[in-house]
Amino acid sequence: MGIIIAVLLFSFIIIFHELGHFLLAKKNGIRVDEFSLGLGPTLLGKQIGETKFSLKLLPFGGACMMGEDDADDLSEGSFNSKSVWARMSVVAAGPIFNLILACVFCFILIMITGYRSPEITGVLDGYSAQHGLSTGILAYLDFGGATGSSKDGLAETMLAFATERGTLQPGMPVVEASSGSFGAALAVSCATTGHPCILVVPSNLPIAQRKRLQDLGAHIIACSSSGRRAMERVAEDTAKRYGGYYTHYFSNDDNPEYHRRVTGPQIYKNAGDAIDAIVIGVGSGGTITGVAEYIKAWNSMVRIVAVEPAECAAISGGFIGQHGISGIGPGFVPENYNPYVVDTVLTVTTADAERAAREVLFFDGVPACTSAGATLAAAVQLLGMGKAKRPLCVFAGRHIYG
């Protein structure tokens, strides 16, 4: 069916192209000796006046043959007696008629299918109105996976990348130093792909959280130190001891690569020119690096905004302490964080992040986690500073109620 439509469309284009030449030639009084549509053997032919009309077998061409007057013939009706404008109009008539045909087809298509301007899922009109914003803040909701965070797709893809390279063999243990959302997502991904999952967690991790990870299939190794570096060393030693694969998502480029291939293109496809800033919380640094590197390659004018807790502002060189915004603010600058694609760094207090998460739930029905609330609060700051008119916040997780 598609081939038939393509042939018919091409035939219409040829007809309009040659018809344009013919009508303009007749209008300017130029003789047309032959007007034919198609190529190959002639199916129908008829002489009408000074012009021979013919229809040929294949609908892939045509011809409008104007009179071959003698070069010195300047009598009335001779092509050489016509003005330059008349000659040019005849030549240009074909493309002009093609343009008219294209407009007609577009109009018909719009009437049949209806035109829809790009719609961005997750326009937070309620939250924006509550804060008196003239334009709505957009949100990219990246928490549709099994554990309710963006780490679901990341964990699955990082294992796929490692398998593709051959560094992760079937049945090989997978090791990571994580007790949060990535650890949970990795446990699920390992369970579905047949890999044992070993998570290194701080010894002071609450019992309920440890049990949750174990329920997802993870084997837990408690580290006496809660420092990131100490946990990473334990994870490295564990991977060597058991012949496992250490994902090391804070410094593994597979992390931002996933966002270069998935998150960045999805944001660009769905938001496109509708946004002038993207606000992202920084945890491992993979999301902001991958998204920013992709978006900047297509539109360098989009402002990339990094968000971190005000109580733990490692990127902006501030105070480093305890905070309550899970998923961001590790207390150091992660290796995956690329500062050269970030335009602005903003800090948000835990209280403001929690308040924003509650408000977007009440006013827009979006169950945003605290880190998502932090991006919202930062977007309001950004608008107040006059550095953006239409920001988009990346919601990397949802809060589960009940």
Side-chain angles (χ1 to χ4, degrees):
M1 186 65 182
I3 296 176
I4 296 175
I5 294 175
V7 170
L8 291 175
L9 180 60
F10 189 78
S11 300
F12 274 117
I13 292 175
I14 293 298
I15 291 173
F16 265 72
H17 185 90
E18 300 303 335
L19 188 61
H21 289 312
F22 177 76
L23 294 178
L24 263 294
K26 300 302 289 183
K27 182 178 183 301
N28 286 285
I30 298 173
R31 189 176 80 248
V32 177
D33 290 340
E34 181 180 355
F35 180 77
S36 63
L37 296 175
L39 299 174
T42 301
L43 299 178
L44 297 173
K46 186 176 181 61
Q47 183 77 31
I48 301 178
E50 59 185 11
T51 304
K52 178 184 178 181
F53 294 89
S54 60
L55 178 64
K56 300 188 177 182
L57 179 62
L58 301 175
F60 301 117
C64 181
M65 306 298 293
M66 290 174 284
E68 297 181 0
D69 299 298
D70 186 87
D72 297 327
D73 184 5
L74 298 177
S75 60
E76 185 178 357
S78 166
F79 184 79
N80 293 289
S81 68
K82 303 302 174 184
S83 67
V84 173
W85 164 248
R87 303 183 198 186
M88 290 179 62
S89 64
V90 172
V91 174
I96 291 174
F97 269 64
N98 285 352
L99 179 61
I100 295 173
L101 178 64
C103 293
V104 171
F105 271 107
C106 288
F107 179 76
I108 294 174
L109 186 62
I110 291 173
M111 291 298 101
I112 294 175
T113 63
Y115 176 74
R116 299 290 185 271
S117 60
E119 294 181 1
I120 311 303
T121 302
V123 180
L124 307 177
D125 292 326
Y127 180 86
S128 302
Q130 175 68 16
H131 287 266
L133 305 178
S134 58
T135 58
I137 297 175
L138 310 184
Y140 176 75
L141 310 181
D142 193 10
F143 48 65
T147 65
S149 81
S150 62
K151 305 302 191 301
D152 291 309
L154 173 62
E156 181 181 351
T157 304
M158 288 185 70
L159 294 184
F161 285 161
T163 302
E164 183 179 331
R165 287 194 303 268
T167 52
L168 178 61
Q169 299 296 324
M172 181 183 291
V174 175
V175 183
E176 181 54 70
S178 174
S179 59
S181 57
F182 184 75
L186 188 63
V188 172
S189 294
C190 286
T192 58
T193 54
H195 295 279
C197 179
I198 303 174
L199 297 178
V200 178
V201 304
S203 57
N204 60 353
L205 184 70
I207 298 298
Q209 193 169 345
R210 181 181 301 191
K211 187 177 184 303
R212 173 173 176 261
L213 295 174
Q214 290 174 328
D215 289 343
L216 294 175
H219 302 280
I220 302 299
I221 294 179
C223 178
S224 58
S225 173
S226 60
R228 180 69 195 179
R229 302 306 180 193
M231 290 174 58
E232 287 180 348
R233 284 194 295 270
V234 173
E236 289 173 1
D237 293 340
T238 302
K240 292 177 182 177
R241 183 182 308 118
Y242 294 102
Y245 172 69
Y246 179 26
T247 53
H248 207 183
Y249 81 110
F250 267 83
S251 59
N252 188 342
D253 189 63
D254 287 349
N255 182 349
E257 181 63 19
Y258 164 75
H259 295 287
R260 294 185 198 106
R261 297 190 187 189
V262 179
T263 314
Q266 286 182 352
I267 290 175
Y268 188 77
K269 176 183 177 181
N270 289 283
D273 297 330
I275 59 174
D276 59 1
I278 301 176
V279 186
I280 303 173
V282 179
S284 67
T287 304
I288 192 165
T289 294
V291 170
E293 288 177 354
Y294 180 87
I295 295 295
K296 290 284 190 181
W298 290 96
N299 185 356
S300 61
M301 300 306 292
V302 174
R303 180 179 292 274
I304 303 298
V305 181
V307 181
E308 62 179 349
E311 301 93 336
C312 189
I315 296 174
S316 52
F319 178 78
I320 298 177
Q322 298 294 319
H323 66 90
I325 309 177
S326 179
I328 67 173
F332 59 91
V333 180
E335 291 183 37
N336 274 330
Y337 177 74
N338 181 2
Y340 300 104
V341 292
V342 176
D343 301 294
T344 305
V345 180
L346 295 177
T347 61
V348 175
T349 65
T350 299
D352 287 342
E354 292 174 345
R355 184 183 304 109
R358 287 195 302 271
E359 289 178 346
V360 77
L361 173 67
F362 295 152
F363 299 120
D364 293 285
V366 178
C369 65
T370 311
S371 66
T375 64
L376 269 179
V380 173
Q381 288 185 43
L382 193 69
L383 290 167
M385 297 161 62
K387 291 187 176 181
K389 295 181 179 178
R390 189 75 161 172
L392 178 143
C393 297
V394 175
F395 283 16
R398 69 172 183 263
H399 184 85
I400 299 176
Y401 293 89

